[in-house]
Amino acid sequence: MRQPLLTTVPSYQSLRNHAAQAREWQMRELFAQDPQRFERLSVEAAGLFLDYSKNRLDGRTLELLAQLARARGVERLRDAMFAGEKINLTENRAVLHTALRAPANRPFTLDGQDISADVHGVLDRIKTFSDSVRNGAWRGHTGKEITDVINIGIGGSDLGPKMVCLALRQFAHPRLSMHFVSNVDGHDMDAALSRVNPETTLFIIASKTFTTAETMMNANTARAWFLQQAPEEALAKHFVAVSTNVEAIKTFGIDPANMFPFWDWVGGRYSVWSAIGLPVALSVGFGYFGDLLAGAHAMDEHFRSAPIEQNLPMILGLVGFWNREFLDCTSVSIAPYHQDLNRFPAYLQQLDMESNGKRVTRAGDTITDYETGPVIWGDVGTNGQHAYFQLLHQGTDITPIDFIAALRPAHEFHEHHAALLANCFAQSEAFMKGKTADEVRQDLAGQPLDEIERLVPHKTFPGNRPSNTILMEYLTPATLGALIALYEHKVFVQGALWDVNSYDQWGVELGKVLAKKIEAELNGEAQPALHDSSTNGLIARAKAAI
Ligand code: F6P
């Protein structure tokens, strides 16, 4: 169904007028005028606390944003997603990753069928398998316990399990080292294989489609490497697969008993909750994997029931929409002040940019008069402070930042944790407050006047730069699950406002097709095709070097 164009919706137009004033606001003044600002502009759910008070907005802004969300049918689309309607219109698929983390007694219906028995059937298999590898009952073909797991997958079949395994390293099994090979670059595979012994290594081939070129090449290479050192019948003890494409797994030669299925209603970037999360269950155990799912489910329950004004994912989505749409912010920086979340920005890049990096509406109309998904990037604090924060403080672009921190550490170095949190809070304060010319002059008092005036422009910080801060007590499987689900739903809210299909990814196809052609040319299997002079020149240089 064709929605009215976003920019014609009355609340959008009111927001545009409102933004003309908001651009002039100084957050310093907003805080000075309202001592309750922090209490009013913060919200808590599913073990996460969000402070969004350091944004250029007020109560009226939120009122208008909530009106817009209602006018755009965000809640209606949310309910349609949970109800299993085929909201992924270009692939005619439901979007039901939320069913993967619901308890067994919670029915989820797809095409009139309850799918929860299928979901929990696979979870039971994940439990049995991960328990047996962890407790040593599952052994390699020479009778030795598994010590290394290599997950071969890319995109959603890599980023989620890798990010979560790293984030939950405190909970990891001491015997099992987890490795992730994603890149078709042979250096990636080489580095992993050079660290493991085939007798004690388990390979997981993870691919939703089981056709992704990089993963298939890596899987074949791993298999050939293994068979150089072990007989064919040993494969069943060392290769398992996760996919929606059961036929392709059989053709690859993996024992049907070693297949962990999932379904086409799970998007790749939303699949860590499915059997794609097998490395997580192996590393931290099925109990903690269950806690991850439960944390996400708690966020789902909040998202589907809380009114927009108190709904954490709705608010995170609306505030990001406001910054993107009305305050011209083209990117968002993710700053986890937690070393174990160091892959979280990379994970969010796929989640957000593959979902909302779209330029046509759900009805297929080209979007010409508003912006859609921002660029997502970042790194852990405090490292980012000593790299790119300079630009964030004093550059000409304004980049909103999401600070993420745990109030309590999982280590004993308490002075480190105080220093870490102090940096996190100090940065958001500095972005908001900045430093005025007069404050700089006071700092420099005592120096010659002309020297002070020469330095003032360089040392002044404009401030008024937006940020959110997300806090949790500890980083645990449950709070991590809630955090990931929070961002999934934030992406949903923004996609609904922009009226894009957040659940397809056609933009990655063209490069894949062209790569196949060029690969055949580089290998001498196809006549060089007529490319542009740049591509021809690059191919010629590579052929000369091969
Ligand atoms: O090419 C993009 C993409 O389709 C992602 O959406 C997906 O997560 C990734 O490739 C891997 O796909 P698969 O799990 O099917 O190998």
Side-chain angles (χ1 to χ4, degrees):
M1 202 187 61
R2 193 167 251 104
Q3 282 233 50
L5 192 65
L6 173 63
T7 48
T8 64
V9 177
S11 40
Y12 182 95
Q13 292 173 346
S14 306
L15 277 161
R16 196 168 255 175
N17 297 334
H18 178 73
Q21 300 160 25
R23 282 167 199 274
E24 306 303 318
W25 295 344
Q26 288 296 321
M27 274 191 262
R28 273 182 184 234
E29 286 164 20
L30 298 178
F31 273 96
Q33 284 158 13
D34 178 6
Q36 300 301 311
R37 187 172 169 86
F38 171 73
E39 281 74 22
R40 283 196 310 101
L41 303 182
S42 54
V43 53
E44 195 158 12
L48 300 182
F49 174 84
L50 167 67
D51 167 18
Y52 59 102
S53 62
K54 292 191 182 102
N55 279 282
R56 272 193 284 169
L57 47 76
D58 69 358
R60 175 72 183 145
T61 323
L62 291 167
E63 213 176 285
L64 289 171
L65 286 166
Q67 264 176 35
L68 180 69
R70 291 197 170 96
R72 292 304 269 174
V74 175
E75 295 156 296
R76 213 168 39 244
L77 193 67
R78 171 199 64 192
D79 295 344
M81 173 174 75
F82 279 97
E85 286 178 33
K86 299 198 170 151
I87 65 164
N88 176 355
L89 297 171
T90 61
E91 296 178 307
N92 195 28
R93 287 178 185 164
V95 174
L96 276 174
H97 46 278
T98 50
L100 299 168
R101 52 221 193 188
N105 57 6
R106 179 52 148 327
F108 262 89
T109 310
L110 177 64
D111 294 331
Q113 304 281 321
D114 182 14
I115 53 173
S116 50
D118 287 349
V119 168
H120 283 270
V122 175
L123 284 174
D124 288 346
R125 290 193 47 216
I126 292 174
K127 177 177 177 355
T128 307
F129 179 68
S130 57
D131 282 353
S132 71
V133 172
R134 289 166 58 83
N135 67 25
W138 181 285
R139 288 175 183 243
H141 71 109
T142 57
K144 294 185 179 159
E145 291 181 340
I146 299 297
T147 58
D148 293 86
V149 177
I150 300 187
N151 187 79
I152 297 178
I154 197 165
S157 301
D158 167 73
L159 289 160
K162 182 172 176 175
M163 181 275 285
V164 173
C165 284
L166 285 167
L168 300 182
R169 70 173 178 88
Q170 296 279 350
F171 302 82
H173 193 293
R175 193 185 71 241
L176 292 174
S177 298
M178 310 304 293
H179 312 263
F180 292 85
V181 175
S182 54
N183 201 335
V184 75
D185 181 347
H187 295 105
D188 201 7
M189 181 61 79
D190 184 52
L193 294 182
S194 67
R195 281 188 239 124
V196 300
N197 171 357
E199 288 177 71
T200 57
T201 299
L202 177 74
F203 291 91
I204 302 173
I205 316 297
S207 173
K208 177 176 169 180
T209 55
F210 228 75
T211 57
T212 302
E214 292 92 329
T215 301
M216 291 304 104
M217 186 174 270
N218 279 327
N220 284 316
T221 301
R223 186 186 142 112
W225 174 85
F226 181 79
L227 288 178
Q228 278 164 14
Q229 304 160 82
E232 184 96 18
E233 56 278 14
L235 281 173
K237 286 280 161 209
H238 295 269
F239 279 76
V240 302
V242 179
S243 184
T244 59
N245 188 347
V246 173
E247 285 312 308
I249 297 179
K250 282 191 200 150
T251 314
F252 182 82
I254 285 183
D255 187 338
N258 294 346
M259 290 179 202
F260 296 87
F262 65 112
W263 306 274
D264 72 0
W265 40 264
V266 183
R269 51 196 175 274
Y270 298 86
S271 65
V272 69
W273 324 101
S274 73
I276 290 290
L278 184 60
V280 178
L282 285 164
S283 177
V284 304
F286 188 80
Y288 286 134
F289 184 60
D291 290 351
L292 180 86
L293 303 186
H297 178 67
M299 186 57 76
D300 294 342
E301 291 295 274
H302 167 75
F303 178 53
R304 73 195 290 189
S305 60
I308 294 179
E309 293 77 1
Q310 285 136 41
N311 190 309
L312 223 159
M314 291 275 190
I315 291 172
L316 195 63
L318 290 171
V319 170
F321 177 83
W322 166 249
N323 286 331
R324 173 75 174 123
E325 213 51 46
F326 299 106
L327 301 180
D328 308 324
C329 301
T330 54
S331 81
V332 175
S333 189
I334 307 295
Y337 274 62
H338 198 306
Q339 184 61 30
D340 295 343
L341 286 174
N342 65 20
R343 292 297 294 169
F344 195 59
Y347 175 79
L348 288 190
Q349 280 183 326
Q350 187 200 17
L351 177 65
D352 202 318
M353 293 163 78
E354 204 167 71
S355 296
N356 287 341
K358 309 285 163 66
R359 52 175 282 288
V360 297
T361 64
R362 288 159 60 79
D365 299 324
T366 303
I367 296 168
T368 52
D369 60 352
Y370 60 92
E371 321 298 338
T372 64
V375 172
I376 305 290
W377 60 285
D379 196 0
V380 285
T382 58
N383 297 7
Q385 290 174 211
H386 299 276
Y388 50 78
F389 269 42
Q390 165 60 39
L391 181 148
L392 301 182
H393 281 293
Q394 289 188 311
T396 49
D397 282 322
I398 294 187
T399 304
I401 303 163
D402 283 357
F403 292 97
I404 302 168
L407 292 172
R408 295 169 191 267
H411 58 71
E412 307 261 289
F413 313 119
H414 291 289
E415 70 283 16
H416 283 250
H417 201 63
L420 178 80
L421 290 183
N423 271 280
C424 177
F425 303 159
Q427 288 297 327
S428 78
E429 185 177 29
F431 282 117
M432 185 274 283
K433 273 193 170 162
K435 193 167 188 178
T436 64
D438 281 346
E439 286 166 345
V440 175
R441 284 190 188 97
Q442 273 172 26
D443 280 359
L444 298 177
Q447 295 194 32
L449 271 187
D450 56 346
E451 180 62 1
I452 291 179
E453 288 313 313
R454 190 176 73 78
L455 290 176
V456 162
H458 298 279
K459 294 195 158 210
T460 300
F461 286 56
N464 215 22
R465 301 196 167 202
S467 68
N468 297 309
T469 300
I470 297 170
L471 299 177
M472 62 198 91
E473 174 114 1
Y474 284 103
L475 180 63
T476 63
T479 54
L480 179 63
L483 182 70
I484 302 169
L486 165 64
Y487 275 95
E488 286 179 348
H489 295 323
K490 172 213 137 169
V491 166
F492 172 91
V493 168
Q494 296 188 343
L497 290 166
W498 285 315
D499 188 26
V500 297
N501 180 5
S502 303
Y503 300 100
D504 62 12
Q505 58 283 318
W506 299 108
V508 292
E509 293 304 319
L510 177 61
K512 285 188 192 173
V513 174
L514 293 180
K516 275 265 158 255
K517 278 193 193 156
I518 295 177
E519 191 180 333
E521 288 165 35
L522 284 178
N523 289 335
E525 293 154 6
Q527 288 304 315
L530 211 49
H531 302 277
D532 56 89
S533 65
S534 159
T535 312
N536 281 335
L538 296 170
I539 292 172
R541 286 185 85 92
K543 283 194 85 160
I546 286 170

